Amino acid sequence: MADPLSGTHVYGTQSDAYAAENDVHHRRSIGKDRKHSLFGEDGGHNSADEILEAMGYKAELVRSRSTLQVAFMSFVLASIPYGLATTLYYPLVGGGPTNIIWGWVAVSIIIVCVAISLGEITSVYPTSGGVYYQTFMIAPKKYRLIASWICGWAFVVGNVTITLAVNFGTTLFFASCINVFESEPGVGIFAGESYQLFLIFVGITLLCNAVSSLANRWLPWLDTFAIFWTFAGLIAIVVCTLAIAKNGRHDAAYVFGEFDPSNSGWPAGWSFCVGLLHAAYATSSTGMIISMCEEVAQPSTQVPKAMVGTVVLNTFAGLVFLIPLVFVMPDQAELIAYAQPVPPILKSAVGSSGGAMGLLIPLLVLAIFCGIGCTTATSRCTWAFARDGAIPGSRWWRVVHPKLDVPLNAMMLTMVIEILLGLIYFGSTAAFNAFSGVGVICLTLSYASPIAMSLLEGRKKVSRGSFYLGPVGVVCNIVAICWSALAIPLFCMPSAIPVTPEYMNYASVVFFASIVVSAAWYFIWGKKNYAGPPADDTEFEVRRSSVVSAEGK
């Protein structure tokens, strides 16, 4: 069997501790000095900037995204159907059609709860710092520094690994697309040597960073175009596969009821759960859009709506994509031999290599859109974490380029890290495979942190937000936390047993190592230099209430 490959992360380098400490105190003084101007001579600021300043930050990024545009970016981050296409291997091994269809439905319902839970919190704390800032503000004061530190590193690690996973997944998907022109099954025309795949990966990574940095003002329009491109591609795939169906169609009983866990070796129930990585990977980007809060006109309402609305839209888009594929899917055991099953499924359905390639082109273009979106979100979360002095050398990474209006240094930092980690592929494909799971695990942990803190403190702070859902929010919080408790050990499991070194899932090793290193780094370096976000939470609540009241008049 073959296993799909994906992304990863590593920490920054040591910087001068004295300078970093001065950076933190300097930020605090800026935040305090600017607060007096919120309702005075600096009256040109909109309410979003006023709330941001109440949190201790000055507005450095242009608020250029509308509600629809931030929703479109959230949609692009998930990139359904591309996100589902690159990881279809996992539910095929886990159980086949039932795992593909009902696994997607189950995880989507859960992620709606995660999105609602994060939306409630984000409506109160709309900043690019995202979940780590929220954790700091909600957690008990005794533990807020260490809690926000670990949450922040998990968020950064998750963003970087998911971005790396997307770009390397695009590389592998591209190689598989080329091989639809093979003359006979299993004999591809593109060897896909390690150096070839690495160079393609580097090219894709450079392209995504170039577009994200140089074309920032046009990214909202690119995201808008991606929506129409996605649905045009979906319609083409659905119509062509079902209408042509060169090798026939399965009946509905097979599509919605067939379950064969024999390929995984796990007990049936656990096999189904392990196969959920497919859906979890596609929805893992849900909270990444929070990092764009400081580029949104009204983030307290727009970002929560975008998160929840996008998950609902993605659920239906995913079903529209997956159900036709399963109807025309060749033999399950045959497909498991492919690391990327979608290209051979489409080739089997339309009966020609050229036709299959035509249907794959929309997915490849969407893959690039996804890489650009993930690159953009990752640079913002890294920049925000550095702004609070949490990353060594933060004075470099917190700079916003004055002409490009992007945190260019932070973007280049994450790009270099991704490329360096891509070198792991030369040494061990099994180790590299772990990072797709690590991305999901780290993002899941980072999302769970503020949700758990909010639930434990009685949801008092989120009750002041404009997206507060009362008892519904409580249920969603519980579902989100239970899912996190399941997902973290679940996605450390190998997709099949018995396990060999080649197919071992090393996600557990990488995840544990990242948590241990981040915790150790806190006591070695962070405890002296990391003071957390600059806002005083009591003062923030008073000033936020004033802004909201003034806005409502």
Side-chain angles (χ1 to χ4, degrees), residues 91-133:
L92 281 175
V93 175
T98 297
N99 216 161
I100 294 171
I101 304 299
W102 297 115
W104 171 246
V105 172
V107 171
S108 294
I109 293 172
I110 292 170
I111 299 303
V112 168
C113 295
V114 174
I116 288 173
S117 299
L118 291 176
E120 285 189 311
I121 301 172
T122 301
S123 70
V124 181
Y125 304 109
T127 170
S128 293
V131 289
Y132 91 84
Y133 183 96

Side-chain angles (χ1 to χ4, degrees), residues 181-195:
F181 293 98
E182 63 187 4
S183 56
E184 55 182 282
V187 183
I189 63 171
F190 179 55
E193 300 290 345
S194 296
Y195 79 91

Side-chain angles (χ1 to χ4, degrees), residues 61-227:
L61 301 174
V62 177
R63 296 187 183 276
S64 59
R65 293 179 183 267
S66 66
T67 301
L68 279 179
Q69 286 171 334
V70 74
F72 291 164
M73 182 179 178
S74 184
F75 184 86
V76 168
L77 285 172
S79 283
I80 307 300
Y82 164 73
L84 293 174
T86 55
T87 53
L88 192 64
Y89 170 88
Y90 292 108
L92 281 175
V93 175
T98 297
N99 216 161
I100 294 171
I101 304 299
W102 297 115
W104 171 246
V105 172
V107 171
S108 294
I109 293 172
I110 292 170
I111 299 303
V112 168
C113 295
V114 174
I116 288 173
S117 299
L118 291 176
E120 285 189 311
I121 301 172
T122 301
S123 70
V124 181
Y125 304 109
T127 170
S128 293
V131 289
Y132 91 84
Y133 183 96
Q134 296 163 358
T135 298
F136 179 89
M137 296 297 283
I138 298 174
K141 291 187 177 181
K142 185 176 181 180
Y143 305 107
R144 57 170 36 171
L145 283 177
I146 184 66
S148 64
W149 174 275
I150 293 178
C151 177
W153 274 115
F155 193 45
V156 172
V157 171
N159 271 262
V160 174
T161 52
I162 284 296
T163 304
L164 176 55
V166 166
N167 289 340
F168 210 92
T170 302
T171 301
L172 298 173
F173 193 71
F174 175 69
S176 183
C177 289
I178 293 175
N179 284 328
V180 298
F181 293 98
E182 63 187 4
S183 56
E184 55 182 282
V187 183
I189 63 171
F190 179 55
E193 300 290 345
S194 296
Y195 79 91
Q196 294 173 322
L197 293 175
F198 178 75
L199 290 176
I200 295 172
F201 159 72
V202 170
I204 291 172
T205 300
L206 292 175
L207 173 63
C208 291
N209 279 270
V211 174
S212 181
S213 59
L214 301 178
N216 180 58
R217 69 177 67 181
W218 294 291
L219 290 183
W221 298 106
L222 187 66
D223 295 335
T224 302
F225 171 75
I227 293 292

Side-chain angles (χ1 to χ4, degrees), residues 15 125 172 234 242 288 321 337 348 423 426 429 449 470 483:
S15 67
Y125 304 109
L172 298 173
L234 270 176
L242 291 179
M288 290 173 67
F321 175 66
S348 170
L423 293 170
F426 286 101
T429 57
S449 297
W483 165 249

Side-chain angles (χ1 to χ4, degrees), residues 447-489:
Y447 300 160
S449 297
I451 296 172
M453 294 296 176
S454 176
L455 192 61
L456 288 174
E457 65 94 36
R459 292 168 47 83
K460 297 175 184 176
K461 294 183 178 179
V462 299
S463 64
R464 306 173 185 129
S466 57
F467 196 72
Y468 179 64
L469 296 181
V472 174
V474 175
V475 174
C476 290
N477 288 175
I478 294 172
V479 171
I481 292 169
C482 290
W483 165 249
S484 302
L486 171 65
I488 291 173

